Amino acid sequence: MSSLVTPSDELLSFLKELPDMDIEAYLDAVSKPLPECFRINTLKLSEERIISLLRDRGWQFEKLPWVKTGYKLLNSTERGVGSSMEHMLGLIYIQGPISMLPAEVLEPAPRMIVLDLCASPGSKSTQIAQLMRNTGILVCNDVSSTRIKPLVANIQRCGVINSIITQSDGRYFHRWVREQFDRVLVDAPCSSLGIVSKDWTAANKYNEKISKRISKLQQSLLISAYECLKPGGLLVYSTCTIHPLENENVITYLLDKKKDAELLPVLVEGLRSRSPLEEWRDIKFSSEVKKCFKCYPYDNYAEGFFIAKIRKEA
Ligand SMILES: C[S@@+](CC[C@H](N)C(=O)[O-])C[C@H]1O[C@@H](n2cnc3c(N)ncnc32)[C@H](O)[C@@H]1O
């Protein structure tokens, strides 16, 4: 193999088990850095105004068709996007191109009540606030005290004023607020096998036992999120992994437990995607999982992602 990265034996044997996986293409894609992309933050200034400021500074970029205010950088900036004045002022938010998708799929709108159950560091919370035009109520929750700090910093930097930040274990969130939210996002903790180009340690750490354990945590988070959702509301579940136990399996679990949950198709223009698996090893998944969005890193030379959109019967 000509790839730059060498997978651990455990990762390699997992990849071999995926019937639709091209291992060489996967290793090639994750050997390359993710494309540099950003969102324009319309909570600070209009999109036109920010575009013109960036162009005046020599930035070249093109629109990402699947996100309202998402762009891909085409040239490198003098100091790097992360230390640019535009980033520090919150005019832009640096984010992976496919990571911008779950908040769009959630369809948050002004004056809604929205919960982001696993919110830190706030990429999707700040995007949701933007789509809500800073109105309504956005509850941004995370379990980790260390990760609450970057969440607060990003919320402040982006000028979000409709949010409440909570630190609690999302598995039990429904005990406090049952059926109160128009929209709930679960951007779940996962094995991160779709974004290993950011940090190869996730791939080195991969082991089957961890994925099985995370899958149980994801199931509990999703059930709690569903309990928090109003009848007629929308729930989005997303991960940046390619592991069927953390994706298709978790959605099948929800559909088995909650008979009033309906899976809606996630239709995306401009991105290559693939059909989720209906069975893996000896596990049969619900045939409904076909409606979810799934891509591997080499499908778009970007992140690997899984997104499910669920409606609770009204
Ligand atoms: C994939 S990250 C979320 C990324 C975030 N949504 C964003 O777009 O910036 C998953 C997050 O889930 C949090 N988490 C892990 N276990 C949790 C739990 N039991 N309850 C709530 N949050 C949890 C982690 O601390 C981590 O910040």
Side-chain angles (χ1 to χ4, degrees):
M1 276 181 210
S2 60
S3 306
L4 298 176
V5 290
T6 316
S8 63
D9 291 345
E10 189 130 10
L11 178 60
L12 195 59
S13 66
F14 161 67
L15 293 173
K16 282 182 186 160
E17 277 191 277
L18 294 173
D20 56 349
M21 171 57 71
D22 177 338
I23 297 178
E24 197 151 348
Y26 174 83
L27 295 176
D28 178 47
V30 300
S31 299
K32 299 186 166 75
L34 288 175
E36 265 192 305
C37 296
F38 61 89
R39 248 185 323 105
I40 282 184
N41 178 16
T42 50
L43 296 180
K44 287 277 171 127
L45 287 175
S46 72
E47 189 170 6
E48 298 71 34
R49 188 82 214 299
I50 297 175
I51 286 179
S52 129
L53 284 171
L54 298 177
R55 292 241 153 92
D56 286 349
R57 303 254 287 157
W59 292 31
Q60 289 166 20
F61 41 88
E62 66 183 17
K63 183 101 183 62
L64 299 173
W66 56 92
V67 205
K68 286 192 189 71
T69 55
Y71 291 84
K72 176 178 171 187
L73 195 69
L74 300 174
N75 61 341
S76 52
T77 56
E78 202 182 304
R79 300 166 63 203
V81 188
S83 40
S84 68
M85 188 65 85
E86 290 76 6
H87 165 74
M88 286 182 217
L89 291 172
L91 301 180
I92 60 163
Y93 194 106
I94 301 159
Q95 194 174 353
I98 304 183
S99 150
M100 297 182 200
L101 197 51
E104 295 275 340
V105 173
L106 188 65
E107 298 174 23
R111 292 181 297 283
M112 282 184 172
I113 303 179
V114 181
L115 170 63
D116 186 354
L117 195 63
C118 306
S120 182
S123 319
K124 298 176 189 74
S125 295
T126 51
Q127 188 179 359
I128 292 169
Q130 188 174 336
L131 293 166
M132 295 168 77
R133 300 208 199 108
N134 245 344
T135 66
I137 300 171
L138 170 61
V139 178
C140 309
N141 178 71
D142 204 281
V143 74
S144 151
S145 58
T146 48
R147 286 179 64 91
I148 288 287
K149 286 175 200 152
L151 174 62
V152 171
N154 281 324
I155 291 274
Q156 284 181 342
R157 184 173 61 83
C158 293
V160 174
I161 54 165
N162 66 343
S163 67
I164 297 166
I165 297 177
T166 58
Q167 186 198 340
S168 76
D169 190 327
R171 290 176 292 180
Y172 312 115
F173 207 91
H174 63 287
R175 292 186 183 169
W176 321 114
V177 270
R178 192 177 284 275
E179 299 205 330
Q180 293 299 314
F181 293 93
D182 300 294
R183 301 283 184 267
V184 181
L185 175 66
V186 182
D187 187 38
C190 68
S191 55
S192 303
L193 295 177
I195 55 161
V196 289
S197 35
K198 259 193 196 168
D199 182 359
W200 188 248
T201 48
N204 284 338
K205 271 197 226 147
Y206 170 76
N207 81 55
E208 180 73 18
K209 268 197 213 133
I210 294 181
S211 259
K212 280 191 178 147
R213 210 173 57 219
I214 298 182
S215 174
K216 292 270 174 253
L217 169 63
Q218 291 160 335
Q219 288 173 357
S220 305
L221 287 167
L222 189 57
I223 293 289
S224 175
Y226 191 78
E227 298 287 352
C228 293
L229 192 66
K230 280 182 190 168
L234 287 180
L235 165 64
V236 167
Y237 174 81
S238 56
T239 72
C240 55
T241 192
I242 58 174
H243 206 303
L245 288 183
E246 300 178 50
N247 294 329
E248 289 92 334
N249 186 49
V250 176
I251 297 305
T252 301
Y253 179 82
L254 177 81
L255 296 178
D256 283 350
K257 294 269 172 220
K258 302 288 176 187
K259 295 301 170 203
D260 57 351
E262 181 196 0
L263 219 51
L264 303 180
V266 181
L267 307 168
V268 187
E269 270 184 42
L271 278 176
R272 286 202 198 94
S273 60
R274 57 185 57 240
S275 196
L277 301 177
E278 287 183 54
E279 56 180 305
W280 188 62
R281 294 182 178 159
D282 55 349
I283 317 168
K284 284 232 180 306
F285 303 127
S286 161
S287 62
E288 285 290 288
V289 297
K290 284 197 296 280
K291 295 179 179 165
C292 302
F293 172 90
K294 178 182 178 182
C295 65
Y296 287 162
Y298 60 87
D299 289 332
N300 302 288
Y301 272 77
E303 309 100 300
F305 241 89
F306 180 88
I307 304 172
K309 182 176 187 177
I310 300 133
R311 182 168 35 215
K312 187 187 260 191
E313 202 174 90

